[in-house]
Amino acid sequence: MDYVLELCDVTKSYEDFKLDHVNLMVPKGCICGFIGQNGAGKTTTIQLILDIIEKDGGSIRVFGQDMKKNGPALKEKIGVVFDEMGFHEFLTPKEINSIMKKIYANWKEDLFFNYLKRFSLPAKKRCGSFSRGMRMKLQIAVALSHEAELLIMDEPTSGLDPIVRNEMLQIFQEFVLEENHTILLSSHITGDLERIADMVAFINGGRIILFGDKNEILENHGLIKCKKEDLERIDKEDMVFARQSAFCTEVLVSDRNKCKQKYADMVMEQTTLEEIMVFYVNHFMKMTQADSSI
């Protein structure tokens, strides 16, 4: 398989946080959703990939090459969208076009202005007056206008209204339909990733907890709904985490087919990426609390 991104045992330590031996392989031509709660390590991982910050250990390869050694050439092939606009607010899209022409060898001026028109972005208006949705569209227009083969995006749909988010997701899907295009999309809006992602990587506390085909992850996991007294019948090795309320007990299991047969008298439902993320986070919080009490 041809991989666009290869992270092997990547580490980065801060005083209060550690990215702990992250391994991530993103195949060419897919949308890889990168999920996790705020502070889990998503932005740190992206900054390491882009060589914005120095890693402490491990290796990172982009298009099969070391970003540290081949950064300028590789960045020509990468489009980047962050959750905050990276352009000075006094600039207009027309002025940004003039700047980008001097930065990217493959800058396509006509394509950029076509995107401005498609996104209803005024070319001569200062982008500091743009709404959040307009600012995100401007970043995406720039990212798509220099023949990038890889888009790396950090929370691009956060804070957008549903109409604008839907438009953004359609653009991302169109992008990967073209040959050799790949997206790494960091987001805590799991519903967006459930809709468009092919692969999913779930990071928690600086570690990759789950990684694989999105459909397989959703198919393998299931949510058992039972009475509180039935919880004792479920083997601990089968459950990720159990959540109890006054009316029902919900148990996330990682092998739905096995548990469906094993606990045939209990209700087994399909689950979502959001529920999977929440249950795993609670599982690891419980483990951390148990370790700290020893």
Side-chain angles (χ1 to χ4, degrees), residues 262-280:
K262 193 172 180 180
Y263 312 108
D265 60 326
M266 299 184 190
V267 176
M268 174 75 74
E269 295 184 354
Q270 290 185 323
T271 188
T272 64
L273 287 178
E274 180 174 345
E275 287 176 326
I276 291 171
M277 184 174 78
V278 169
F279 274 87
Y280 270 98

Side-chain angles (χ1 to χ4, degrees), residues 82-120:
F82 290 113
D83 61 342
E84 294 293 336
M85 185 175 64
F87 306 112
H88 289 296
E89 295 191 348
F90 61 79
L91 291 173
T92 67
K94 185 176 180 180
E95 291 168 338
I96 290 171
N97 171 70
S98 298
I99 294 170
M100 294 299 109
K101 284 195 296 185
K102 299 175 183 178
I103 294 176
Y104 291 108
N106 294 324
W107 181 255
K108 304 298 181 184
E109 184 175 44
D110 291 343
L111 182 59
F112 177 68
F113 281 103
N114 284 338
Y115 275 118
L116 293 184
K117 186 175 181 180
R118 175 179 176 180
F119 297 159
S120 300

Side-chain angles (χ1 to χ4, degrees), residues 225-232 247-249 266:
K225 292 192 174 182
C226 62
K227 297 178 181 179
K228 184 177 180 179
E229 54 266 29
D230 291 330
L231 183 59
E232 295 181 359
F247 307 101
C248 180
T249 295
M266 299 184 190

Side-chain angles (χ1 to χ4, degrees), residues 107-149:
W107 181 255
K108 304 298 181 184
E109 184 175 44
D110 291 343
L111 182 59
F112 177 68
F113 281 103
N114 284 338
Y115 275 118
L116 293 184
K117 186 175 181 180
R118 175 179 176 180
F119 297 159
S120 300
L121 296 175
K124 298 180 180 180
K125 189 175 181 179
R126 291 184 178 181
C127 56
S129 64
F130 286 5
S131 67
R132 176 168 174 78
M134 293 170 71
R135 294 181 181 204
M136 296 310 299
K137 289 180 182 180
L138 177 58
Q139 286 196 80
I140 291 168
V142 171
L144 296 177
S145 296
H146 61 89
E147 296 187 345
E149 296 178 24

Side-chain angles (χ1 to χ4, degrees), residues 195-228:
R195 171 180 162 185
I196 69 169
D198 304 297
M199 310 283 293
V200 170
F202 170 35
I203 189 169
N204 183 68
R207 295 182 178 183
I208 299 293
I209 304 303
L210 284 174
F211 176 65
D213 181 275
K214 176 202 67 182
N215 292 331
E216 289 183 2
I217 289 174
L218 289 171
E219 180 64 30
N220 290 339
H221 288 80
L223 200 62
I224 293 177
K225 292 192 174 182
C226 62
K227 297 178 181 179
K228 184 177 180 179

Side-chain angles (χ1 to χ4, degrees), residues 10-14 48 54-58:
V10 174
T11 61
K12 177 66 178 179
S13 295
Y14 295 99
L48 288 168
E54 292 277 348
K55 66 182 184 297
D56 294 332

